[in-house]
C-alpha cells in the first residue's frame, strides 16, 4: 500500500484518528510484531526506574495501558500514577485493562485524556515519566521533551522505550525489510485496508537514532543518559535523569 507521512501540522489529528481506529487490535499487533518481546522490554524499563516508595509518575502516550499496568503494579498501592493519551479508544482499552484486575483503577491510578505537548502538571511535580513507543509519535519531539523536563522534579527520571538504529550495518537491510514489508502485512491481516500499519514503519524514518536521541536529551537538560539496547539496537530504552536531588 503506497504511503506518505502526514504533514507535521496534521500529525496530531491524524494520529488521534488512526489510533482510535486500530485500538482494538493494537495489543495483538504489538505482540505479533515483537513476538511478545515488548513485554520483556517494558518489564525491564519499569525495573530500571528503581521507583522509590510513594513515587508519583506519569505514563505518557499510555495507549492501551500496557506499561501503565506494570508501573502501577510496581508502585504496589503506594504513590500515584497518571496515564495520559489523546486517543479515547486507546484509553477505553486501558480503562478495561486497568480495572478488570481488581474492580477499580487500582490505588493511585488516574487515566487522563490529554495532549503530550501540554501536560496538565505543575513544574517539578512528578518523580518519573515513562513512555512506550510515544516519543516517535508526538508532533514535536524537542517541545515534548521540554514539557517532560518541566514536570519532572529534580532527580526525577524519564524512561522511554522505542525503536533504534540497528548497530550492525549488514543487518540493517533485514531490519528494514521486516519493518517496511512484514510489519504492515501483519497489521493488514489483523485489520484489512488500515493504512496506520504503514505509518508505523515510516514514522521510524524521522526518529533519531539512539545516540542522536541521547544528544537531544542532554541538550534538553537531562544528564547521564543511559541506553539499553535489544536486538542489536533495533529496540532501545533511554533512561534520562533530571539533574538534582530528590526532595525529602
Ligand atoms: C504506539 S502507541 C503506544 C502505546 C503504549 N504506550 C505502548 O507502549 O504500547 C502511541 C500512543 O501515543 C498516543 N499519542 C500520540 N501522540 C500523542 C499526543 N500528542 N498526546 C497524547 N497521546 C499521544 C497515541 O494515541 C497512541 O495511543
Amino acid at each position: 500500500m503506497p504511503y506518505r507521512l502526514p504533514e507535521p501540522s496534521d500529525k496530531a489529528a491524524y494520529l488521534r484518528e488512526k489510533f482510535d481506529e486500530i485500538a482494538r487490535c493494537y495489543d495483538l499487533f504489538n505482540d505479533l510484531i515483537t513476538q511478545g518481546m515488548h513485554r520483556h522490554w517494558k518489564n525491564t524499563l519499569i525495573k530500571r526506574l528503581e521507583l522509590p516508595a510513594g513515587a508519583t509518575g506519569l505514563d505518557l502516550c499510555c495507549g492501551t495501558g500496557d506499561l501503565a499496568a506494570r508501573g502501577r503494579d510496581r508502585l504496589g498501592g503506594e504513590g500515584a500514577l497518571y496515564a495520559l493519551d489523546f486517543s479515547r479508544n486507546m484509553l477505553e482499552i486501558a480503562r478495561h485493562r486497568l480495572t478488570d484486575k481488581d474492580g477499580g483503577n487500582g490505588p493511585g491510578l488516574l487515566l487522563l485524556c490529554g495532549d503530550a505537548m501540554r501536560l496538565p502538571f505543575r513544574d517539578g511535580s512528578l518523580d518519573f515519566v515513562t513512555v512506550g513507543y510515544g516519543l516517535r509519535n508526538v508532533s514535536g519531539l524537542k517541545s515534548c521533551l521540554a514539557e517532560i523536563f518541566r514536570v519532572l522534579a529534580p532527580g526525577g527520571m524519564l524512561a522511554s522505550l522505542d525503536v533504534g538504529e540497528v548497530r550492525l550495518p549488514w543487518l540493517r537491510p533485514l531490519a528494514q525489510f521486516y519493518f517496511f514489508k512484514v510489519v504492515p502485512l501483519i497489521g493488514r491481516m489483523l485489520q484489512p485496508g488500515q493504512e496506520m500499519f504503514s505509518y508505523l514503519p515510516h514514522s521510524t524514518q524521522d526518529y533519531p537514532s539512539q545516540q542522536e536521541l541521547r544528544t537531544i536529551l542532554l541538550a534538553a537538560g537531562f544528564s547521564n543518559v543511559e541506553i539499553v539496547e535489544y536486538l542489536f539496537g533495533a529496540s532501545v530504552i533511554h533512561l534520562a535523569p533530571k539533574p538534582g536531588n530528590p526532595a525529602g
Side-chain angles (χ1 to χ4, degrees):
M1 183 183 280
Y3 182 79
R4 211 164 52 83
L5 281 172
E7 294 299 322
S9 55
D10 301 334
K11 190 174 175 183
Y14 173 85
L15 283 186
R16 195 181 310 122
E17 181 187 319
K18 293 296 165 196
F19 275 110
D20 270 346
E21 287 174 11
I22 66 164
R24 271 190 303 120
C25 64
Y26 176 79
D27 285 328
L28 178 56
F29 173 70
N30 234 359
D31 271 339
L32 291 176
I33 65 169
T34 67
Q35 285 96 57
M37 285 183 283
H38 72 104
R39 294 164 182 247
H40 167 64
W41 303 331
K42 286 171 178 167
N43 288 341
T44 304
L45 181 150
I46 295 295
K47 201 163 148 197
R48 291 297 303 270
L49 268 176
E50 294 175 12
L51 296 179
T56 297
L58 164 69
D59 183 38
L60 187 60
C61 298
C62 67
T64 57
D66 202 22
L67 194 51
R70 289 168 166 80
R72 178 194 61 179
D73 292 350
R74 186 73 178 189
L75 284 175
E78 295 178 47
L81 180 65
Y82 299 91
L84 180 142
D85 202 285
F86 66 10
S87 158
R88 289 193 181 274
N89 291 356
M90 294 290 268
L91 275 177
E92 187 54 21
I93 309 237
R95 196 176 63 77
H96 278 285
R97 160 176 275 133
L98 296 163
T99 54
D100 275 352
K101 216 170 165 186
D102 50 18
N105 269 348
L109 178 76
L110 190 63
L111 292 174
L112 299 171
C113 189
D115 188 351
M117 309 303 291
R118 283 184 302 275
L119 296 177
F121 299 100
R122 281 184 289 109
D123 295 2
S125 55
L126 300 179
D127 301 311
F128 66 94
V129 174
T130 57
V131 49
Y133 308 111
L135 292 181
R136 177 160 41 100
N137 286 302
V138 295
S139 39
L141 174 61
K142 288 182 184 167
S143 321
C144 183
L145 290 177
E147 196 52 357
I148 294 170
F149 191 82
R150 177 184 72 75
V151 299
L152 276 174
M157 173 88 93
L158 164 65
S160 168
L161 167 67
D162 218 308
V163 295
E165 183 179 70
V166 173
R167 257 181 293 109
L168 305 176
W170 59 267
L171 208 53
R172 282 183 201 150
L174 198 65
Q176 292 283 91
F177 178 80
Y178 186 74
F179 262 131
F180 284 87
K181 299 289 180 205
V182 181
V183 166
L185 192 69
I186 293 173
R188 285 201 297 277
M189 276 163 51
L190 294 177
Q191 206 168 322
Q194 175 54 258
E195 68 174 38
M196 187 56 173
F197 301 113
S198 299
Y199 159 83
L200 291 169
H202 281 85
S203 69
T204 63
Q205 283 182 313
D206 287 344
Y207 192 62
S209 71
Q210 45 271 51
Q211 291 304 337
E212 288 165 347
L213 181 56
R214 183 174 182 275
T215 304
I216 293 170
L217 286 162
L218 292 172
F222 293 93
S223 62
N224 302 321
V225 177
E226 193 181 341
I227 296 174
V228 182
E229 294 185 335
Y230 298 97
L231 302 178
F232 305 103
S235 173
V236 180
I237 295 171
H238 283 84
L239 296 158
K242 176 170 174 170
N245 293 319

